[in-house]
Amino acid sequence: MDDRMEPNESPKRKMSEAISDMAAGFISVGKTLAERQNRLIAVCSAWNMACAPPENRRQQLQQYAETYRRSNPAISPDDLAKVVKDMETMIERKLRMSPDDHRQIVDARVVPVGADFRIEVASARSK
C-alpha cells in the first residue's frame, strides 16, 4: 500500500486521465488551442453536473444551456440543442465510466506539447 493513502482510501486515476477518457476525442475536434480549451471547459462542466444528485442534473443542464445561449446570442435553436445533446452524452459517459468518482473539477487547461496537447486538471474532493 502507498504510504500516502489512508487505509480505507482506494487509489484513483489522475483526474486528467479520467477526463481524457470521458472526452473520447471531443476536445481534439477543436482546431485551435482556444477551441480545445472551450471544449475542455464543457467536458469539465459535464463531469461536475454528473457528480450532482440526479434530481439536480436537469436543472443544472438547463442553466448551462441558458448561460451558453446568452454568451452566444447568434446560436440557432438547433445548434443549442446539439450543445445540450453533447453535454447529456458526456454526463452519461461520466456516469458509466466513473460512477463513484465525485471529485469536483475546479480548474482545467489545455497545454500545447509540440504539435499535440495535454490537459491539466485540478480537482477537489466533494464533501
Side-chain angles (χ1 to χ4, degrees):
M1 176 164 49
D2 186 330
D3 291 336
R4 294 170 289 167
M5 289 176 51
E6 296 294 322
N8 295 328
E9 185 178 347
S10 62
K12 290 188 180 177
R13 295 186 306 161
K14 291 175 70 174
M15 183 58 89
S16 57
E17 290 174 10
I19 292 298
S20 290
D21 290 347
M22 182 186 128
F26 180 79
I27 297 168
S28 59
V29 169
K31 291 175 178 44
T32 67
L33 189 63
E35 288 174 358
R36 288 178 177 171
Q37 182 66 38
N38 286 337
R39 287 176 165 271
L40 174 60
I41 290 168
V43 170
C44 294
S45 294
W47 176 283
N48 287 345
M49 282 184 233
C51 292
E55 60 273 10
N56 295 351
R57 282 187 211 129
R58 178 58 45 195
Q59 179 184 6
Q60 289 179 350
L61 187 55
Q62 288 171 343
Q63 289 172 338
Y64 180 90
E66 180 57 28
T67 300
Y68 192 95
R69 189 191 59 72
R70 277 187 303 214
S71 299
N72 302 279
I75 193 167
S76 72
D78 285 345
D79 286 344
L80 183 58
K82 290 175 188 173
V83 168
V84 171
K85 181 63 179 160
D86 284 344
M87 294 298 287
E88 290 171 338
T89 299
M90 286 186 284
I91 289 168
E92 290 167 9
R93 190 174 290 152
K94 189 276 180 205
L95 292 170
R96 191 172 56 253
M97 296 175 77
S98 304
D100 298 325
D101 190 341
H102 299 289
R103 292 175 287 178
Q104 291 289 291
I105 298 171
V106 296
D107 190 30
R109 63 181 51 113
V110 175
V111 178
V113 178
D116 205 7
F117 69 94
R118 73 172 190 271
I119 63 172
E120 295 177 350
V121 179
S123 64
R125 287 187 182 148
S126 62
K127 295 178 186 176

